[in-house]
Amino acid sequence: MERIAIYPGSFDPVTNGHLDILERGLKLFDKIIIAILTNPKKTFLFNLKERIEMLEDSLREFSGVEIDTFDGLTVEFAAQCNAQAILRGLRAMSDYEYEFQMALMNRRLNREIQTVFLMTGLRWIYTSSSIIKEAAQFGGNIEGMVPPLVEKKIKEKHLSIRP
Ligand code: PNS
């Protein structure tokens, strides 16, 4: 049986922390489907096309990864993909409450699908898309925290917002 996981998230934008989790996940799963949330009620810095483009560029060296989009329940999307698991990364303790709440709700909604948490590498413990975007917004150096195309796109975005 093919071991399939979905890796859901906003990916606004993809960071090196996400890539670290994917790399670890690929040691456990034959296929990981990145499931990008398209929720129109959420405000994203990058539109869906941009988020996909940055992911595609960052994943050129990866095999066994697909990119898809979803709106609605994560467990429903996982079932549609025939995935046995939902993959999520864990960083500092502050992630736990939100992640446990979500995992327990997901389990209640579909008992067949397991949430698998992987610890991120130490160097990514305190990084997130949000904090990286905030640093970049004020001209902070985000080199090495995100893939090269993402760094370029964040800079362009902030220059266009604040010329
Ligand atoms: O990258 P993020 O923003 O932390 O990802 C959050 C995500 C997409 C995993 C979460 O918002 C989600 O699963 N949304 C879909 C709705 C859903 O199924 N929620 C959890 C159970 S109610």
Side-chain angles (χ1 to χ4, degrees):
M1 187 178 71
E2 202 183 15
R3 293 164 306 168
I4 305 173
I6 65 159
Y7 182 24
S10 308
F11 300 98
D12 183 39
V14 60
T15 67
N16 287 347
H18 291 125
L19 299 184
D20 174 77
I21 294 297
L22 270 173
E23 235 175 276
R24 293 172 197 279
L26 285 168
K27 297 193 168 98
L28 301 175
F29 296 100
D30 302 309
K31 182 164 90 179
I32 298 180
I33 302 164
I34 295 181
I36 312 175
L37 183 73
T38 61
N39 189 348
K41 288 192 194 120
K42 245 179 129 170
T43 317
F44 300 107
L45 177 64
F46 293 100
N47 66 35
L48 187 58
K49 188 166 164 274
E50 292 171 315
R51 286 184 279 154
I52 294 175
E53 185 195 347
M54 287 183 280
L55 271 162
E56 280 173 349
D57 190 79
S58 313
L59 293 169
R60 273 178 304 176
E61 314 268 295
F62 286 66
S63 59
V65 182
E66 288 175 13
I67 302 170
D68 209 337
T69 61
F70 81 108
D71 189 14
L73 286 178
T74 300
V75 282
E76 280 180 7
F77 183 73
Q80 267 172 40
C81 297
N82 293 319
Q84 301 89 2
I86 295 169
L87 175 64
R88 292 286 289 173
L90 279 181
R91 294 163 300 190
M93 286 299 285
S94 48
D95 277 346
Y96 279 66
E97 200 153 338
Y98 169 59
E99 292 296 337
F100 275 32
Q101 189 181 28
M102 202 156 56
L104 290 172
M105 177 55 91
N106 283 336
R107 185 193 284 166
R108 205 187 157 96
L109 294 171
N110 186 334
R111 297 207 160 263
E112 300 303 314
I113 294 167
Q114 306 303 322
T115 299
V116 174
F117 292 111
L118 290 179
M119 285 303 296
T120 186
L122 269 180
R123 55 200 296 229
W124 313 119
I125 286 273
Y126 287 108
T127 59
S128 66
S129 298
S130 317
I131 202 91
I132 290 171
K133 282 184 286 192
E134 189 170 328
Q137 185 186 346
F138 298 108
N141 181 6
I142 55 162
E143 191 186 346
M145 294 181 178
V146 287
L149 178 66
V150 175
E151 191 185 339
K152 182 170 165 274
K153 292 259 177 204
I154 290 187
K155 280 186 187 152
E156 282 171 9
K157 187 74 77 178
H158 290 305
L159 283 176
S160 67
I161 296 169
R162 297 170 20 133

